PDB file of all heavy atoms in Angstrom:
ATOM      1  N   ASP S  53      -9.285 -28.077 -70.082  1.00 67.00           N
ATOM      2  CA  ASP S  53      -9.885 -26.734 -70.186  1.00 67.00           C
ATOM      3  C   ASP S  53     -11.070 -26.644 -69.266  1.00 67.00           C
ATOM      4  O   ASP S  53     -11.259 -25.599 -68.544  1.00 67.00           O
ATOM      5  CB  ASP S  53     -10.350 -26.499 -71.618  1.00 67.00           C
ATOM      6  CG  ASP S  53      -9.171 -26.468 -72.575  1.00 67.00           C
ATOM      7  OD1 ASP S  53      -8.051 -26.150 -72.093  1.00 67.00           O
ATOM      8  OD2 ASP S  53      -9.369 -26.598 -73.761  1.00 67.00           O
ATOM      9  N   THR S  54     -11.850 -27.693 -69.122  1.00 61.00           N
ATOM     10  CA  THR S  54     -13.047 -27.706 -68.237  1.00 61.00           C
ATOM     11  C   THR S  54     -12.633 -27.544 -66.797  1.00 61.00           C
ATOM     12  O   THR S  54     -13.165 -26.819 -65.948  1.00 61.00           O
ATOM     13  CB  THR S  54     -13.855 -28.882 -68.421  1.00 61.00           C
ATOM     14  OG1 THR S  54     -14.214 -29.004 -69.777  1.00 61.00           O
ATOM     15  CG2 THR S  54     -15.109 -28.884 -67.542  1.00 61.00           C
ATOM     16  N   ASN S  55     -11.512 -28.307 -66.398  1.00 65.00           N
ATOM     17  CA  ASN S  55     -11.030 -28.205 -64.948  1.00 65.00           C
ATOM     18  C   ASN S  55     -10.506 -26.842 -64.633  1.00 65.00           C
ATOM     19  O   ASN S  55     -10.764 -26.324 -63.570  1.00 65.00           O
ATOM     20  CB  ASN S  55      -9.960 -29.318 -64.839  1.00 65.00           C
ATOM     21  CG  ASN S  55      -9.569 -29.504 -63.338  1.00 65.00           C
ATOM     22  OD1 ASN S  55     -10.446 -29.290 -62.493  1.00 65.00           O
ATOM     23  ND2 ASN S  55      -8.303 -29.853 -63.084  1.00 65.00           N
ATOM     24  N   ASP S  56      -9.784 -26.276 -65.621  1.00 72.00           N
ATOM     25  CA  ASP S  56      -9.246 -24.900 -65.368  1.00 72.00           C
ATOM     26  C   ASP S  56     -10.394 -23.880 -65.208  1.00 72.00           C
ATOM     27  O   ASP S  56     -10.358 -23.010 -64.385  1.00 72.00           O
ATOM     28  CB  ASP S  56      -8.345 -24.454 -66.456  1.00 72.00           C
ATOM     29  CG  ASP S  56      -7.049 -25.256 -66.506  1.00 72.00           C
ATOM     30  OD1 ASP S  56      -6.705 -25.938 -65.410  1.00 72.00           O
ATOM     31  OD2 ASP S  56      -6.358 -25.387 -67.563  1.00 72.00           O
ATOM     32  N   ALA S  57     -11.372 -24.029 -66.050  1.00 66.00           N
ATOM     33  CA  ALA S  57     -12.540 -23.125 -65.994  1.00 66.00           C
ATOM     34  C   ALA S  57     -13.302 -23.282 -64.671  1.00 66.00           C
ATOM     35  O   ALA S  57     -13.720 -22.268 -63.984  1.00 66.00           O
ATOM     36  CB  ALA S  57     -13.455 -23.307 -67.185  1.00 66.00           C
ATOM     37  N   TYR S  58     -13.405 -24.477 -64.137  1.00 61.00           N
ATOM     38  CA  TYR S  58     -14.083 -24.744 -62.921  1.00 61.00           C
ATOM     39  C   TYR S  58     -13.331 -24.093 -61.687  1.00 61.00           C
ATOM     40  O   TYR S  58     -13.948 -23.481 -60.832  1.00 61.00           O
ATOM     41  CB  TYR S  58     -14.233 -26.256 -62.680  1.00 61.00           C
ATOM     42  CG  TYR S  58     -14.793 -26.577 -61.364  1.00 61.00           C
ATOM     43  CD1 TYR S  58     -16.186 -26.473 -61.128  1.00 61.00           C
ATOM     44  CD2 TYR S  58     -14.016 -27.064 -60.281  1.00 61.00           C
ATOM     45  CE1 TYR S  58     -16.666 -26.821 -59.818  1.00 61.00           C
ATOM     46  CE2 TYR S  58     -14.554 -27.353 -59.090  1.00 61.00           C
ATOM     47  CZ  TYR S  58     -15.852 -27.278 -58.846  1.00 61.00           C
ATOM     48  OH  TYR S  58     -16.394 -27.545 -57.660  1.00 61.00           O
ATOM     49  N   ALA S  59     -12.013 -24.273 -61.729  1.00 67.00           N
ATOM     50  CA  ALA S  59     -11.167 -23.698 -60.624  1.00 67.00           C
ATOM     51  C   ALA S  59     -11.296 -22.186 -60.678  1.00 67.00           C
ATOM     52  O   ALA S  59     -11.436 -21.569 -59.596  1.00 67.00           O
ATOM     53  CB  ALA S  59      -9.749 -24.189 -60.775  1.00 67.00           C
ATOM     54  N   LYS S  60     -11.277 -21.567 -61.900  1.00 68.00           N
ATOM     55  CA  LYS S  60     -11.322 -20.152 -62.030  1.00 68.00           C
ATOM     56  C   LYS S  60     -12.670 -19.606 -61.525  1.00 68.00           C
ATOM     57  O   LYS S  60     -12.746 -18.638 -60.828  1.00 68.00           O
ATOM     58  CB  LYS S  60     -11.051 -19.747 -63.457  1.00 68.00           C
ATOM     59  CG  LYS S  60     -11.068 -18.231 -63.666  1.00 68.00           C
ATOM     60  CD  LYS S  60     -10.741 -17.912 -65.122  1.00 68.00           C
ATOM     61  CE  LYS S  60     -10.699 -16.390 -65.360  1.00 68.00           C
ATOM     62  NZ  LYS S  60     -10.426 -16.010 -66.798  1.00 68.00           N
ATOM     63  N   ASN S  61     -13.735 -20.345 -61.908  1.00 63.00           N
ATOM     64  CA  ASN S  61     -15.046 -19.876 -61.505  1.00 63.00           C
ATOM     65  C   ASN S  61     -15.296 -20.044 -60.003  1.00 63.00           C
ATOM     66  O   ASN S  61     -15.901 -19.177 -59.361  1.00 63.00           O
ATOM     67  CB  ASN S  61     -16.141 -20.647 -62.264  1.00 63.00           C
ATOM     68  CG  ASN S  61     -16.148 -20.329 -63.777  1.00 63.00           C
ATOM     69  OD1 ASN S  61     -15.752 -19.261 -64.154  1.00 63.00           O
ATOM     70  ND2 ASN S  61     -16.615 -21.292 -64.579  1.00 63.00           N
ATOM     71  N   SER S  62     -14.717 -21.098 -59.397  1.00 65.00           N
ATOM     72  CA  SER S  62     -14.831 -21.294 -58.004  1.00 65.00           C
ATOM     73  C   SER S  62     -14.164 -20.191 -57.193  1.00 65.00           C
ATOM     74  O   SER S  62     -14.608 -19.681 -56.240  1.00 65.00           O
ATOM     75  CB  SER S  62     -14.208 -22.637 -57.537  1.00 65.00           C
ATOM     76  OG  SER S  62     -14.950 -23.683 -58.218  1.00 65.00           O
ATOM     77  N   SER S  63     -12.894 -19.775 -57.711  1.00 65.00           N
ATOM     78  CA  SER S  63     -12.177 -18.717 -57.075  1.00 65.00           C
ATOM     79  C   SER S  63     -12.884 -17.371 -57.187  1.00 65.00           C
ATOM     80  O   SER S  63     -12.941 -16.600 -56.219  1.00 65.00           O
ATOM     81  CB  SER S  63     -10.757 -18.510 -57.713  1.00 65.00           C
ATOM     82  OG  SER S  63     -10.090 -17.478 -57.156  1.00 65.00           O
ATOM     83  N   THR S  64     -13.530 -17.158 -58.352  1.00 63.00           N
ATOM     84  CA  THR S  64     -14.305 -15.947 -58.554  1.00 63.00           C
ATOM     85  C   THR S  64     -15.487 -15.866 -57.551  1.00 63.00           C
ATOM     86  O   THR S  64     -15.818 -14.813 -56.958  1.00 63.00           O
ATOM     87  CB  THR S  64     -14.765 -15.781 -59.965  1.00 63.00           C
ATOM     88  OG1 THR S  64     -13.635 -15.869 -60.822  1.00 63.00           O
ATOM     89  CG2 THR S  64     -15.498 -14.441 -60.169  1.00 63.00           C
ATOM     90  N   ILE S  65     -16.208 -16.997 -57.482  1.00 59.00           N
ATOM     91  CA  ILE S  65     -17.392 -17.058 -56.616  1.00 59.00           C
ATOM     92  C   ILE S  65     -16.956 -16.849 -55.119  1.00 59.00           C
ATOM     93  O   ILE S  65     -17.604 -16.157 -54.381  1.00 59.00           O
ATOM     94  CB  ILE S  65     -18.118 -18.383 -56.805  1.00 59.00           C
ATOM     95  CG1 ILE S  65     -18.709 -18.439 -58.212  1.00 59.00           C
ATOM     96  CG2 ILE S  65     -19.218 -18.559 -55.756  1.00 59.00           C
ATOM     97  CD1 ILE S  65     -19.316 -19.808 -58.540  1.00 59.00           C
TER      98      ILE S  65
END
Side-chain angles (χ1 to χ4, degrees):
D53 293 340
T54 304
N55 190 31
D56 293 340
Y58 174 79
K60 183 177 181 180
N61 292 334
S62 299
S63 177
T64 304
I65 293 173

